Structures are given as C-alpha cells and as structure tokens.
Amino acid sequence: MILTDTSQTLPLNRPAEPGASGRQLDVRVRLVIALATSVAVLLLSHPMTLAMLSLTGAIYMAMLRRWRVQIICYCVLLFLGGLSVLFLYILQIFLPMMRNTSPSAMLVPLLRMLALLHAVMPLALSLKLREVLSVMKTLRFPRALYLPLSVTIRFIPGLVYDLRQIRDCLRLRGFRGWALLRPRFWLLPVIFRCLFLSDELAVSAELKGVGYGRPTHLESKKFLRANNLAALVALLSILAGVLWMDRSLPQAITSMHTNAAGLKSGGHHARHGNQPAQRKTHAEP
Amino acid sequence: MLSLDKITYAYPFQDAPVLRDISLSVKPGQTILVTGPSGGGKSTLLRLMNGLIPHVHGGQIQGRLQLAGRDMAGMLLREISQKVSTLFQDPAKQFLALTVRDEIAFALEWRESDPRVVAEKTELAIETFGLAELRDASIYELSDGQKQKVALASVAALSPKVMTLDEPTANLDPQASADLAGHLARLKSQGVTLLIADHRLAWLRGMVDRVIVIDHGRAVATGEWSILEDVDFRKSFGLRAVDLPGCEGVIKVNAESIDSLVLWDNLTFGYRGRGVLFENETFRIPPNAVTALTGPNGCGKTTLARLMAGLIKPKRGSLQLRSNPIRPGDLLRTTGMAMQNSELQLYQRTVLDEIISAGAGLDIDAAREWLGRFGLKEFASRHPQSLSGGQKQRLVVACAAARAGELLILDEPTSGLDGAQMYALADLLEQRRSAGRSSLVITHDIELIARVCTHEISLPLNTESPNHEPLEPQTLQETL
C-alpha cells in the first residue's frame, strides 16, 4: 500500500485557510462548542434566541474563512426550508387538520439546524483526525480504543489508493463497463491485502511491546492554552446570555417535564391498559 | 551475542524444513550479511533471530538458539524484542502512529515508565537521525527514504543490542540507500550487532564483517566480503553485483531529435487539490527501446507511467502513437502494465486463469509457455494469492508482458528479486526490444538500468544531472 502521495486529511477535513482563527482553537474547545450548541438547540425554542445563537455561530464559522463552503451550507439550508414549506402546502391540501399550521412554524427547526450547522461545520472542516487521536491519547483514553482507530484511519487513504490501483489493473486487462463491477474483482484483492497488512501490523505491534504491561504517555501539549481558555470562557458567556434571554426556556423545561410524565403515564397505560384490551379484542372473535 | 547450533526449522503444516542444519555464532558489534537466491530461507533465519519464530509463526525447531547466553526457547517475545529490534522491507507497514514523533515514541511508551525518559530518548533519536524538521510531519508526507529513516530511528531509540533488517533497501534509491548505510555504520560503531538480509549487495561494501549465503535452506557458504568478489561464485548462486555499474551508455530522452513511439506534447497534469505536477512538458518513449524512468520518490514517475498507459487524462496535452494522434483510452489496448502491490492485481482462481485473463486471446499452450518463462509453470493450478511475494510479482509481470503490444510498463519490477531473477527480467526486456517493441521501467535499480536500459527519462525534467548517480564504492565508503 503506497501512502506517500496521499493527503493526510480526508476531503472534508481539508485544513482551513492559513491564519484562520478558527483553526487555531484547540480541538477540545471546538468539540465543547459543538457539544454545548447541540444541547442548547434542544432546550431553546424562541426564534429570537435561536437567531442570536445562529448569528454568533455564523461569526464563529466565518473565522475559518471558508466562504464558499459557508455559502453552500446556507443554500442547502434554504433549499431544505423551501422544501419543508412546499410539503406543508401539499399536506394542507390533503389533510384539513394541517390547515391551521403556518409556514412560520418551520422557522424554529430551521434556526436550530442553522445554529447546529455553525457549531459542527467548523469542527468538521478544520479538524484533523490526528488531533482527535492526540487528544484521546492525552486524555488517557484506553489504548484498545484509539490504537485500532489510529491504525484504521492511517490506512483509509491507502485503501482509496488500492481501489484505484485495482480499477487501473482491470482497465488494463480490458474490462469495461459492467464487467468492472464484478464483486470478485474488487473483494478478492482487498481481502487479501487487508489480511497481509493486518498480519504485518500485528507483528510490528508485538515487536514494539504493545500489550505488555501498562504504557506511559509521551508528554503532550497542555490541555488549556490562554487562547483556548478565552474561547471557552467566551462560549460559556454566550451560552449563559442566550439561556438567560430565552424566555421560553422555563416553559420548555416544564413542557419537557410534562411530556416526560405524560409518556411515563401513557406508557404505563399502554402496558397495563391498552395492550391487554387489544389482546382481548383480538381474542373475542 | 547470538548463536545458532544446528538449527533446522519447518513452518507449520509443512513437512520439508525451510532451514537445515544452520550453525552460526555472532559476536557483539558484528555486521552479518545473509544473502542468497529468493526463497532460500533468508527471511526465515531473521525471524528465528528476532523471535517471531516460533512466537508468532509457530513451527518446529530443532537445534539450539541462544541470545546473550540465554536459550531463546525459554524467552518470551517481549524479552527478546527488548534486545533485538527489527526493520522491515516496507517501513510504512510497521508504523502504528500518525506522526514522526509519535511513531518514534510509540515503542518507548510501552517500555519506559517515566514520560520524561520517553521524551528525552525520542528527541535524541530525532536529532541523531536528522529528523528535526520532520518532527511533527505526518507519516503520509514522507518519502520512502524518510520512512525508512523514521523506522530506523524508532528501533534505534530502543537501544537494542541486535538489529535485524530484512531487505531494507528494496524500495530505496541509491542516495537513500547510502544514507541508510551511513546510519547503520554509526550504529555498528556503537556496538550494535547488525543482521542484514538483502539481495542488493553494493550498498553494504565496507560494512559487513561476515557473509552467509543461504540456498535451499542451507548455509552453502560463509566467509568475509571477499567471497562475494568472485564473479563465478555470485553467478552460481544468482547473486547481484558487489559494485554498481556505470550507466554511461544510457541515452537521455530529453533530446528533441529522438524518435517517439509514444509522445505526450505540451502535457499539463495535476491531481485535484494538489497543484500542478507537470506543466507544458513533453515526454516521449522511443521505439525499439528499454527506457528507464528514474527520479526521487514523489516526483511523479508512477503518474507519468499512468499517463503513458492511457489510464488517466491530463488537463492539457496532445498524444501521439507512432506520430499518429490518438486518444489516451486507445493506448490501453496496446499497453501492458505491472504496478507495485502484486496482490491487488490478482483475482482469478488459478495462476493459469490469471495469465489467460491477462493476455487477451492467449491459448492454454501459450499461457503455459509464459508461465514457464517466469518459472511459474509448476504453480499453474495454484491460487494466485497463495504464491510467495516474489512469485506473485513475477506472475504480475508475466501477465503484463503477455498482454503488452507496443508498450510494456513495469513499476519497480526488481524490488525483492535476486540476481538470477533480475537477469531473467532483463532478458525478457531485451527480447522485446529485439522484436521491435518498447518497454518503460520505473526503477531505482542501477544494475537493471546498466544491464538492459537503452534510454532514460529522469524526473524532474528541469534538473541538470540525473538524480540516480550510480554510487561509486569510494563514495559509499566515504559516507561510512
């Protein structure tokens, strides 16, 4: 497997523009931002607060300076929004009960998607898998978790290269069109390739002492640098502000609580009330 | 340091021993070269010495094997690997981390309890092997020579007493081989015992204390380097040259006056997102010629070969075959190509089916004849993937040669081949040339170039001098 010419990053993980501020943030901060936003969009339901969160997120995403991707994301979101409205109108034709639903009801879900997109896309666009593995190592994740992941990730570009080579070989042998798609032509070489590679890697791991005793860890970069800490504080402040402003939050929590209680009691009924009744109905005839 | 007393070994489920009655005593700091024909048992001998046999491969061992005065039969692989480190032919297959620093630190992390010691030893290895600039580089970004250097640094960081190296220069160009030789010479001067199995001999001149020639599992000759100087001796065991020949007679193909079988004019090509590799370049393959395509790793040799085979289309450029404009796809019909990684090019049920599938319209007799030319006739009914690495490589070359019409392209066909097999390949290329057909060979193998190549394309084109200057023995000794 030749790995020399292969980029270390997957297509989505192409690095951000040089000097982009978003890229300078520690991967842990970016992960926390994505996680916190995911939780926030679950809790928030007021269009204004969601819009504020989306605006803050837009600035955060813009720090990457991947304008083209950002615009494409917005276009996709607009398309999805348009599609939702279109289907709403279609549903209203056939389902009278839907006629009371206004198209503006689609705004909150769309804003939620927008906020989430702003938090997740910078992570996806700027993240190097190597960094994630490094963080897993620093945070003392079990080796049994990150070592196979590391090896798998390392060989993905190689697998792409291998598949290309198989295709080239088949073309050189004169196979065209559907003949190229015979599973045997692709599976057999790949399976044997993986078998040989895994054998060699296992030997290498044995010789390097993997599995003997408890490993120590090479000192890695410190968990929090000043800029990362600042970013984390800024994020928490934004979230706190947004949460404080969202007047619907108490209702949302109450509503969630009520729903949960309702589900619990409904489930109780379902288990002890409805199901036996259904069984009875089926049994009576 | 190491002693083998009448060792006989057979792999599991095999009756015939691979090694027979091998006795050897290695003193600390010695460098031992194990050479001989392919399939003779060189790699098996190294596996015995680094403990992979019997701990990983199993099998039956007779005789006594000692490491630093201890019987290896009673030692765990962990104990053996603390004293004996191993460097494989393809270093990329032994990397378990993603960056140079992490890879060098990897084995240390499993052996040292103090992170500071791990860091110190890692940094020392990085500096000693001149890898400071590549400290945080991804292993994908490294050339083959750099990968081999990183692999060597990672095993040297463990401060082994013994180091086994299995064909470490098979994928390296002469310069990278010389660099490797320099690093090994330093380790030798520090008292590390080196056990090197290799077909290529020239790069080891001046460093080896003892030579063992293994053929059919037996140590057929042992002695000092001087035993290899005998041409008849080398010929009888199919060994390669001990001095690299010059390539004075090879014609550079950059000259406009040379006729062209295949001509790419004003060629511009680059992979998406990776910039331009060739810009308005002109490449030509002469007719009735064996052309070597040389250059450092990553300079675009394989890409150019794929362009010449018609496998990829350039951004710009015009293509001609015997002065007639054609489309790249048309080249596929008249070209045979053997790439690296032979197991990816074999997918039939038997060896015979494989060559029949490759050579369009080949009947069984002709297919058997092709197999016979590559010493594969007796394996006709075997599954292609069950062959050894060298046999698979020969089968892939045979398939390409059986298919090739006007042009045969081979990508590093001699890595892992012994002298006899390399000469057989050279003969095939010469026969094609005599029959008025052309071949393009991507290679670092100076012996092959000197023996059979008539022309050379040296990449990148704008360099003044060829980048594969044959290493004079003096140059290597100076390096050492």
Side-chain angles (χ1 to χ4, degrees):
Chain A
M1 185 178 296
I2 294 181
L3 302 165
T4 319
D5 294 333
T6 319
S7 169
Q8 60 168 323
T9 50
L10 296 175
L12 248 186
N13 298 336
R14 198 149 48 84
E17 293 300 314
S21 315
R23 183 69 188 79
Q24 290 165 6
L25 288 180
D26 191 291
V27 63
R28 285 157 284 195
V29 175
R30 280 176 276 160
L31 277 168
V32 167
I33 290 173
L35 196 67
T37 311
S38 309
V39 174
V41 296
L42 276 177
L43 294 173
L44 303 178
S45 57
H46 197 282
M48 275 307 291
T49 44
L50 282 168
M52 264 202 70
L53 192 63
S54 300
L55 186 67
T56 321
I59 296 166
Y60 167 57
M61 190 172 170
M63 283 160 68
L64 281 176
R65 300 182 200 167
R66 298 284 295 272
W67 315 115
R68 196 162 160 260
V69 178
Q70 197 162 354
I71 290 166
I72 289 171
C73 286
Y74 292 149
C75 291
V76 170
L77 215 59
L78 272 174
F79 174 73
L80 286 175
L83 212 61
S84 309
V85 172
L86 178 70
F87 275 97
L88 182 67
Y89 278 121
I90 293 170
L91 282 172
Q92 283 176 346
I93 295 168
F94 296 104
L95 297 171
M97 68 177 83
M98 296 289 287
R99 281 180 192 156
N100 294 331
T101 310
S102 156
S104 63
M106 298 293 160
L107 188 63
V108 170
L110 273 175
L111 282 171
R112 280 180 172 152
M113 283 168 69
L114 186 64
L116 205 57
L117 183 130
H118 285 144
V120 174
M121 285 308 284
L123 188 70
L125 290 171
S126 66
L127 191 65
K128 282 183 179 173
L129 291 163
R130 206 173 75 196
E131 289 180 323
V132 179
L133 293 169
S134 175
V135 168
M136 287 171 81
K137 196 174 164 186
T138 311
L139 297 179
R140 305 289 192 268
F141 271 63
R143 291 235 174 188
L145 190 68
Y146 82 77
L147 189 60
L149 191 64
S150 160
V151 171
T152 308
I153 287 165
R154 196 170 82 65
F155 280 95
I156 287 173
L159 184 66
V160 174
Y161 184 90
D162 287 351
L163 292 173
R164 196 179 70 182
Q165 193 172 333
I166 292 170
R167 186 200 59 196
D168 284 355
C169 180
L170 289 169
R171 289 181 64 205
L172 281 163
R173 296 264 181 107
F175 292 105
R176 300 279 184 279
W178 290 104
L180 274 173
L181 299 176
R182 284 172 67 179
R184 177 187 181 79
F185 291 167
W186 297 86
L187 287 178
L188 195 75
V190 167
I191 287 170
F192 276 96
R193 181 81 173 149
C194 290
L195 283 172
F196 290 129
L197 275 176
S198 57
D199 194 37
E200 293 208 25
L201 277 170
V203 166
S204 173
E206 283 264 10
L207 292 177
K208 287 178 177 175
V210 173
Y212 299 124
R214 192 179 170 79
T216 182
H217 291 265
L218 179 65
E219 212 174 326
S220 190
K221 60 183 178 182
K222 287 174 184 171
F223 180 65
L224 286 175
R225 289 179 182 172
N227 63 333
N228 293 336
L229 186 63
L232 196 61
V233 170
L235 169 78
L236 292 174
S237 310
I238 291 164
L239 278 179
V242 169
L243 291 172
W244 176 76
M245 281 181 65
D246 191 67
R247 278 171 273 173
S248 62
L249 185 62
Q251 288 103 327
I253 293 170
T254 313
S255 163
M256 279 174 68
H257 185 71
T258 314
N259 285 344
L263 274 175
K264 200 175 171 185
S265 62
H268 182 80
H269 284 305
R271 278 195 302 277
H272 299 288
N274 298 348
Q275 283 176 4
Q278 281 171 1
R279 276 202 297 272
K280 193 177 173 184
T281 315
H282 287 300
E284 272 173 0
Chain B
M1 175 53 66
L2 257 170
S3 83
L4 287 78
D5 186 17
K6 295 183 178 172
I7 291 287
T8 297
Y9 170 76
Y11 278 106
F13 313 111
Q14 287 188 6
D15 299 328
V18 185
L19 293 176
R20 296 164 195 263
D21 210 21
I22 302 274
S23 293
L24 174 69
S25 178
V26 185
K27 292 175 185 163
Q30 272 194 326
T31 297
I32 309 291
L33 167 64
V34 184
T35 189
S38 289
K42 300 185 297 295
S43 297
T44 305
L45 184 62
L46 255 57
R47 285 175 191 160
L48 270 167
M49 292 172 176
N50 62 20
L52 290 178
I53 291 174
H55 291 286
V56 173
H57 296 283
Q60 292 289 322
I61 305 175
Q62 291 167 22
R64 197 171 181 204
L65 192 63
Q66 285 189 313
L67 173 64
R70 283 187 64 190
D71 197 333
M72 284 176 77
M75 293 173 78
L76 297 170
L77 185 57
R78 171 183 41 174
E79 293 173 292
I80 297 169
S81 65
Q82 278 172 351
K83 291 187 172 64
V84 185
S85 289
T86 302
L87 191 70
F88 295 102
Q89 178 183 331
D90 185 355
K93 290 180 184 169
Q94 71 183 89
F95 290 155
L96 290 161
L98 297 177
T99 66
V100 169
R101 184 169 176 260
D102 286 353
E103 180 56 38
I104 294 171
F106 189 92
L108 285 167
E109 288 177 317
W110 286 93
R111 295 175 190 213
E112 302 287 347
S113 55
D114 188 347
R116 281 173 302 180
V117 175
V118 175
E120 278 170 19
K121 287 190 174 181
T122 303
E123 289 305 318
L124 184 65
I126 285 171
E127 283 189 23
T128 309
F129 285 85
L131 294 165
E133 287 181 10
L134 297 170
R135 180 184 279 107
D136 295 315
S138 161
I139 57 159
Y140 299 128
E141 295 164 4
L142 308 178
S143 69
D144 280 359
Q146 288 169 331
K147 280 181 196 166
Q148 195 63 283
K149 206 190 280 187
V150 171
L152 185 63
S154 67
V155 293
L158 302 171
S159 311
K161 303 282 182 215
V162 181
M163 199 180 280
T164 64
L165 303 98
D166 195 356
E167 297 198 42
T169 60
N171 299 323
L172 302 188
D173 59 37
Q175 187 55 52
S177 299
D179 287 346
L180 180 71
H183 288 301
L184 291 178
R186 193 163 30 74
L187 289 170
K188 176 183 162 73
S189 70
Q190 291 166 1
V192 178
T193 305
L194 301 172
L195 301 160
I196 304 167
D198 211 340
H199 292 299
R200 299 185 188 198
L201 306 175
W203 71 282
L204 289 162
R205 178 184 274 279
M207 191 166 68
V208 170
D209 298 307
R210 204 162 160 207
V211 177
I212 301 168
V213 181
I214 292 191
D215 188 15
H216 291 95
R218 292 187 187 279
V220 290
T222 57
E224 293 187 350
W225 178 266
S226 56
I227 65 168
L228 296 174
E229 304 278 4
D230 184 349
V231 178
D232 292 333
F233 175 81
R234 290 204 310 268
K235 203 172 177 183
S236 62
F237 292 108
L239 303 182
R240 283 172 168 249
V242 287
D243 295 318
L244 289 179
C247 303
E248 293 83 15
V250 181
I251 304 164
K252 296 281 158 200
V253 189
N254 303 340
E256 294 274 326
S257 58
I258 292 175
D259 289 340
S260 306
L261 170 72
V262 182
L263 170 69
W264 267 114
D265 204 12
N266 291 321
L267 178 78
T268 299
F269 180 84
Y271 288 108
R272 194 181 297 167
R274 285 195 237 165
V276 176
L277 190 58
F278 306 122
E279 189 159 24
N280 292 325
E281 306 272 19
T282 297
F283 294 104
R284 60 185 82 226
I285 297 177
N288 311 339
V290 180
T291 306
L293 180 53
T294 62
N297 292 103
C299 69
K301 296 190 295 293
T302 301
T303 303
L304 181 58
R306 293 177 76 220
L307 282 160
M308 288 294 184
L311 284 167
I312 44 175
K313 290 176 187 170
K315 196 174 173 184
R316 249 192 337 268
S318 62
L319 175 64
Q320 292 178 16
L321 178 68
R322 292 195 184 277
S323 305
N324 298 315
I326 58 163
R327 292 174 304 165
D330 297 335
L331 267 180
L332 279 170
R333 296 197 188 97
T334 188
T335 305
M337 183 173 176
M339 294 170 269
Q340 296 184 52
N341 306 320
S342 48
E343 62 262 27
L344 293 173
Q345 299 163 67
L346 303 170
Y347 36 71
Q348 297 294 344
R349 288 182 175 84
T350 65
V351 169
L352 190 64
D353 287 349
E354 196 71 57
I355 198 147
I356 289 172
S357 151
L362 210 62
D363 62 34
I364 290 182
D365 290 338
R368 285 190 187 279
E369 195 186 323
W370 272 109
L371 291 178
R373 291 176 73 175
F374 284 83
L376 296 167
K377 209 169 185 176
E378 60 189 291
F379 305 112
S381 57
R382 283 260 298 267
H383 195 287
Q385 298 283 2
S386 72
L387 301 178
S388 73
Q391 289 162 349
K392 274 191 264 193
Q393 193 172 352
R394 276 183 277 153
L395 177 58
V396 165
V397 173
C399 288
R403 182 170 183 82
E406 296 272 13
L407 181 63
L408 171 65
I409 301 175
L410 305 175
D411 194 349
E412 293 289 356
T414 60
S415 65
L417 295 192
D418 62 27
Q421 290 165 353
M422 190 269 283
Y423 298 146
L425 179 70
D427 289 346
L428 169 85
L429 296 172
E430 183 57 36
Q431 282 167 20
R432 277 184 58 84
R433 194 180 74 81
S434 306
R437 293 178 170 184
S438 283
S439 306
L440 178 71
V441 188
I442 301 174
T443 188
H444 295 306
D445 195 333
I446 305 289
E447 276 183 82
L448 181 75
I449 296 173
R451 191 175 179 90
V452 74
C453 292
T454 54
H455 294 74
E456 182 188 5
I457 301 171
S458 182
L459 294 181
L461 286 183
N462 53 6
T463 49
E464 292 273 324
S465 58
N467 39 30
H468 76 289
E469 286 284 358
L471 285 176
E472 297 297 329
Q474 293 83 354
T475 313
L476 184 56
Q477 279 175 351
E478 281 164 16
T479 310
L480 296 176

